[in-house]
Amino acid sequence: MKTTGPILVAGAGVGGLTAALALARHGIPVQVYERRDLDEIVTNAGFGHTIWSNATTSLASLGLAQRLLDRAEVLTGSESRDQRQRVMFRMAIAESISPGGTPAVGIGRGDLIELLREACAEHGVRPEYGQRATGYESTADGVTLKLGDGRTVTGAALVAADGIRSTILTQLRGDLPIIHTGRSTYRGIAPGTCGLNPGVVNLLSNPDTRIGGGAWLIGGDRVVWTLSCEREPGGEDPQGTAARARELAASVGGPAPVFVGATPPESISRLDVYYHEWHDRWGEGPVTLLGDAAHALPTDLGQGACMAIEDGVVLGDCLATAPDVTSGLREYERRRRERVFWIRERVLRVNRFKPVRNKALRWAVGKVAKVVVSRSAPKMWQEMQRPPRITAPDASRR
């Protein structure tokens, strides 16, 4: 597909960089603009991701399989325990990977961003940092993007990957409601293995307090962890963020006090968890949305970054095979909506689940839940880890 100018990408997070790399590998010119300075991105990268097979396989299609495995920890299973360290359920993650798929991994966010930045640079894509997208105007042959320093840049299309509070989304759709989940997540990265087994996603919970979380190894013998609790958004923790995280760790027990205690207090952060009200229209004319700008999800099941990665790869695929830019953008949106909606519904089911407070009833529910999970979870994860279909040949290998 020939374009009248570059594809402009607003946002250099996981989704924006994946999209830029996918486009560049197809020979489509692309320019990326990011509101944050690079130092801010590196400094605030003190957490990590589970990148499930659907997304690692997508990254592998961009030539990143070995680089990803070199920097990450392969995940093979998950295990859920209560505050008394009783096993609630176990699951073999590897068994639900599609044939030929790349393994799921745990990786630091900073490591993933750096990996994508390096690959983009090899294809001539170098984001401009400290450049906030403030709005756009459609033109006869493309789009003009307005930047925070007063400049404007023109391109054939605009891909908004600028997050849940996307400026481009607001201009496109107005003030789309964002919904608070009623929970906040504390997170960090601890040095060392903290006694955790390699390859296992450790899920921890205390049904009495409704505090839960998870921990898993990432590349370089580090543990990334999250702990969440019911909380109103905003405000400060009177005792401090790190002290509150230690309280949550004590509630769920097991290895949590070890990995939270080993994390430098100044690097522990809190995230108030929001998601978008669903909307079907992701774009118009030469503009489309990607990642959280299009479909911000709660953090449950770890599919937020994975959906952004899938978006980027599918966007590149659609534009590489489309007769023109606009039809390529609409095809991308068509291919992604059903998939993202399906994922979203599963994530929200988990997010809305409320543990049973009555201990006697909880025992009975737990017994039933083990049977239900053992039967339904593998099928759900097989579908969740199914990678998107790619149709265009890889132009970078021609």
Side-chain angles (χ1 to χ4, degrees):
M1 180 193 71
K2 292 183 178 181
T3 66
T4 56
I7 306 298
L8 308 178
V9 178
V14 172
L17 291 176
T18 301
L21 179 59
L23 292 166
R25 284 176 64 89
H26 286 299
I28 300 172
V30 58
Q31 294 176 1
V32 183
Y33 301 90
E34 165 59 46
R35 63 175 176 81
R36 297 166 293 175
D37 292 327
L38 181 57
D39 287 345
E40 180 184 350
I41 294 175
V42 173
T43 301
N44 294 334
F47 62 101
H49 295 295
T50 45
I51 305 298
W52 301 106
S53 181
N54 50 301
T56 62
T57 305
S58 297
L59 290 173
S61 74
L62 303 181
L64 300 179
Q66 192 56 54
R67 298 189 199 192
L68 189 64
L69 294 176
D70 287 344
R71 302 191 190 196
E73 180 80 24
V74 172
L75 302 176
T76 58
S78 67
E79 182 177 277
S80 177
R81 294 178 179 266
D82 66 12
Q83 74 275 24
R84 296 182 181 178
Q85 297 310 293
R86 295 174 297 193
V87 175
M88 299 168 67
F89 68 85
R90 289 189 175 98
M91 188 180 71
I93 296 170
E95 293 180 0
S96 58
I97 292 175
S98 296
T102 308
V105 301
I107 188 170
R109 181 174 176 82
D111 298 321
L112 180 57
I113 290 290
E114 187 60 24
L115 183 155
L116 289 166
R117 284 185 64 245
E118 290 173 359
C120 282
E122 290 169 7
H123 288 81
V125 180
R126 293 176 173 81
E128 288 193 33
Y129 292 93
Q131 295 293 346
R132 178 185 295 273
T134 61
Y136 70 90
E137 290 182 3
S138 297
T139 64
D141 55 358
V143 65
T144 297
L145 175 64
K146 302 174 184 178
L147 299 175
D149 63 359
R151 284 191 299 147
T152 60
V153 290
T154 59
L158 170 61
V159 178
D162 52 343
I164 186 171
R165 292 178 172 84
S166 164
T167 300
I168 307 305
L169 168 64
T170 301
Q171 181 175 339
L172 182 70
R173 293 294 312 272
D175 290 327
L176 185 75
I178 58 172
I179 304 164
H180 185 243
T181 61
R183 300 186 70 82
S184 293
T185 293
Y186 296 73
R187 58 194 186 177
I189 295 178
T193 63
C194 299
L196 299 185
N197 293 324
V200 178
V201 178
N202 299 269
L203 303 175
L204 310 166
S205 67
N206 184 332
D208 294 331
T209 60
R210 295 186 179 177
I211 294 169
W216 58 96
L217 293 179
I218 57 178
D221 283 340
R222 295 168 295 163
V223 172
V224 63
W225 57 267
T226 66
L227 291 168
S228 72
C229 63
E230 295 176 336
R231 190 186 190 285
E232 291 299 316
E236 301 290 335
D237 294 298
Q239 68 275 61
T241 302
R244 178 55 178 154
R246 290 193 292 270
E247 291 175 358
L248 300 181
S251 176
V252 298
V258 176
F259 56 68
V260 174
T263 305
E266 66 277 7
S267 70
I268 296 174
S269 62
R270 191 193 87 212
L271 173 72
D272 298 329
V273 183
Y274 292 86
Y275 63 98
H276 273 159
E277 180 181 82
W278 179 257
H279 58 111
D280 279 326
R281 186 166 65 90
W282 294 3
E284 63 181 17
V287 179
T288 196
L289 305 171
L290 183 146
D292 281 354
H295 47 67
L297 299 170
T299 53
D300 308 83
L301 300 182
Q303 282 288 342
C306 295
M307 289 297 98
I309 289 169
E310 284 192 18
D311 284 354
V313 172
V314 172
L315 175 70
D317 189 55
C318 290
L319 287 180
T321 56
D324 59 78
V325 170
T326 301
S327 61
L329 297 181
R330 301 294 88 79
E331 175 63 11
Y332 149 74
E333 294 160 8
R334 185 194 68 78
R335 283 173 57 178
R336 293 301 296 151
R337 272 193 296 266
E338 182 178 353
R339 164 72 169 169
V340 174
F341 186 81
W342 187 91
I343 294 288
R344 181 181 187 272
E345 290 301 293
R346 273 71 191 167
V347 171
L348 289 180
R349 287 180 193 177
V350 173
N351 181 265
R352 291 167 179 163
F353 175 77
K354 302 293 184 184
V356 178
R357 289 194 180 275
N358 182 284
K359 292 185 179 180
L361 183 58
R362 186 192 306 157
W363 179 86
V365 171
K367 290 292 185 181
V368 173
K370 282 186 177 181
V371 175
V372 173
V373 169
S374 65
R375 292 179 179 178
S376 62
K379 183 177 180 180
M380 181 192 77
W381 277 100
Q382 284 172 4
E383 179 60 24
M384 194 166 289
Q385 293 199 93
R386 177 179 56 82
R389 183 174 59 91
I390 303 301
T391 60
D394 187 349
S396 69
R397 296 181 180 176
R398 293 175 188 170

